Amino acid sequence: MPDATAPAAPVIAIDGPGGSGKGTVSGRVASALGWHLLDSGALYRIVAWAGLERGVNLADGARLAELAGTLSIAQSGDAIVVDGQDVTQAIRAERISAGSSEVARQPPVRVALRAMQLSMRRPPGLVADGRDMATVVFPDAALKVFLDASAQERARRRYRQLLDQEPGVKVNGPLRDAASSSCGGAARAGEGEHGAAGSNSYAALLESIRARDERDRTRAVSPLRPAADAVTIDTTHMSIDAVVGEVLRYAEQRGLEAAR
Ligand code: DC
C-alpha cells in the first residue's frame, strides 16, 4: 500500500511541440538524476496505432478511450510492447504522428491516459515529457520547462531523424544548409526517390509540423501552451548538451536531487 501521508514524488515537467528536443532532453535529464521517465506522447501514439490496427475511427473518442483501457503496455529496455507486439518503430511513422494528434483532441482519451500518467509518479522522481504535463497532469510539478524551436528547425531535425533511421532512403535535399543546426543528428541530403512532394520531403515535413502545431495549440482540451510558471527555453540554436545543462541547473536551483 502506498503511504498516503508521504509527500508525492517530485516531478520535472518538460512540455513543448514536436521536434523541440524534449524527448531527448527528458531522457538525458531522467538518467542524469536517476529518475523515472514518462513519454506521454508515446501513449497517444499507441492509442492511434491500436485504433488504426482495429479499424476504429480516430474521431470516436469514447471508443478509443475504451480501447486504451484494454491495452497491455509494457516497456522492455528501449522497446515499447503493446499486447505482446513490439511497436517501437511503428508508432514513430508519420501517419501515426498525424493520427496521434487527432486522437489527442478527444477528451475521453485524455481522461483515460491521464490516469495512466499519474500512476507513473514514483520515488525518487519523475521526468514527464509531453504537451500538458505542467498545465494539466502535474500542475504541482517542482520544475516546469517549456522547450520551443522554430518550425523550420523542427522540420530539419525530423528530416535528419528519418534519414538516420533509414539510411537507404534518399530524399530531395532542400536541406543543404542543415548541417549548421543543432539539436538533431548529422545532416545528409541528396536527390532521390521520395521527391520534393513525397511524404518524407522537407517541405512535406514542415507542412505536417505546422498543421500538427496548429491542431495541438488550438484544440479545446489541454492545448499546447507554457504554464504560467514555466521557464521557456528556445532550443533553435542550442545543442542538446546545452539544453540538458540548463534544465539540470534549474533543477539544482530548486533543490531537486539525483537519486542516491
Ligand atoms: O510528443 P509526440 O510527438 O510523441 O506526441 C504525439 C501526439 O500526442 C502529438 O500530436 C501531441 C499529443 N500529445 C498530447 O496531446 N499531450 C501529451 N501530453 C503528449 C502528446
Side-chain angles (χ1 to χ4, degrees), residues 22 40-41 44-45 92 100-101 104 110 130-133 212 216 219:
K22 71 194 158 54
S40 61
Y44 289 93
R45 289 172 179 273
R92 300 291 154 194
S100 60
S101 177
R110 301 205 74 88
R131 303 293 193 287
D132 61 344
M133 298 295 96
R212 201 144 70 94
D216 291 345
R219 69 179 173 225

Side-chain angles (χ1 to χ4, degrees), residues 91-159:
I91 62 167
R92 300 291 154 194
E94 275 306 299
R95 80 188 180 107
I96 303 296
S97 298
S100 60
S101 177
E102 174 67 26
V103 160
R105 291 166 59 186
Q106 318 298 332
V109 176
R110 301 205 74 88
V111 171
L113 293 189
R114 185 160 178 249
M116 274 188 212
Q117 293 164 24
L118 290 173
S119 73
M120 297 182 71
R121 181 176 195 166
R122 285 187 303 248
L126 178 71
V127 177
D129 155 4
R131 303 293 193 287
D132 61 344
M133 298 295 96
T135 50
V136 176
V137 183
F138 302 108
D140 63 338
L143 171 60
K144 301 177 180 182
V145 178
F146 192 84
L147 296 187
D148 213 344
S150 71
Q152 289 86 346
E153 174 59 18
R154 290 184 288 121
R156 274 185 215 115
R157 291 174 187 169
R158 178 66 185 141
Y159 177 98

Side-chain angles (χ1 to χ4, degrees), residues 7 32-33 41 46 70 76 98-99 113 117 171 184 191 203 226 235 238 246 255:
L33 295 174
I46 287 168
T70 67
S76 165
L113 293 189
Q117 293 164 24
V171 199
E191 287 303 306
T235 72
M238 289 175 79
E246 200 156 322

Side-chain angles (χ1 to χ4, degrees), residues 34-240:
W35 287 16
H36 301 283
L37 175 67
L38 163 61
D39 173 2
S40 61
L43 296 176
Y44 289 93
R45 289 172 179 273
I46 287 168
V47 174
W49 172 84
L52 290 171
E53 284 286 297
R54 290 163 177 75
V56 177
N57 179 348
L58 296 192
D60 186 345
R63 177 79 190 83
L64 287 169
E66 194 188 324
L67 173 62
T70 67
L71 298 173
S72 142
I73 303 173
Q75 182 95 29
S76 165
D78 284 341
I80 298 176
V81 179
V82 177
D83 292 342
Q85 190 175 339
D86 184 338
V87 300
T88 321
Q89 294 296 331
I91 62 167
R92 300 291 154 194
E94 275 306 299
R95 80 188 180 107
I96 303 296
S97 298
S100 60
S101 177
E102 174 67 26
V103 160
R105 291 166 59 186
Q106 318 298 332
V109 176
R110 301 205 74 88
V111 171
L113 293 189
R114 185 160 178 249
M116 274 188 212
Q117 293 164 24
L118 290 173
S119 73
M120 297 182 71
R121 181 176 195 166
R122 285 187 303 248
L126 178 71
V127 177
D129 155 4
R131 303 293 193 287
D132 61 344
M133 298 295 96
T135 50
V136 176
V137 183
F138 302 108
D140 63 338
L143 171 60
K144 301 177 180 182
V145 178
F146 192 84
L147 296 187
D148 213 344
S150 71
Q152 289 86 346
E153 174 59 18
R154 290 184 288 121
R156 274 185 215 115
R157 291 174 187 169
R158 178 66 185 141
Y159 177 98
R160 288 195 302 275
Q161 200 180 31
L162 284 173
L163 289 176
D164 285 345
Q165 277 166 5
E166 257 185 283
V169 168
K170 293 197 180 128
V171 199
N172 265 0
L175 278 186
R176 294 183 203 286
D177 59 344
S180 61
S181 68
S182 41
C183 273
R188 267 173 293 155
E191 287 303 306
E193 58 202 338
H194 287 265
S199 63
N200 283 342
S201 75
Y202 170 75
L205 290 173
L206 179 59
E207 197 181 300
S208 136
I209 277 180
R210 285 196 166 129
R212 201 144 70 94
D213 277 1
E214 176 68 14
R215 276 199 302 273
D216 291 345
R217 290 184 203 262
T218 58
R219 69 179 173 225
V221 279
S222 305
L224 170 65
R225 62 176 172 81
D229 50 350
V231 289
T232 295
I233 304 175
D234 182 346
T235 72
T236 306
H237 303 293
M238 289 175 79
S239 69
I240 286 284

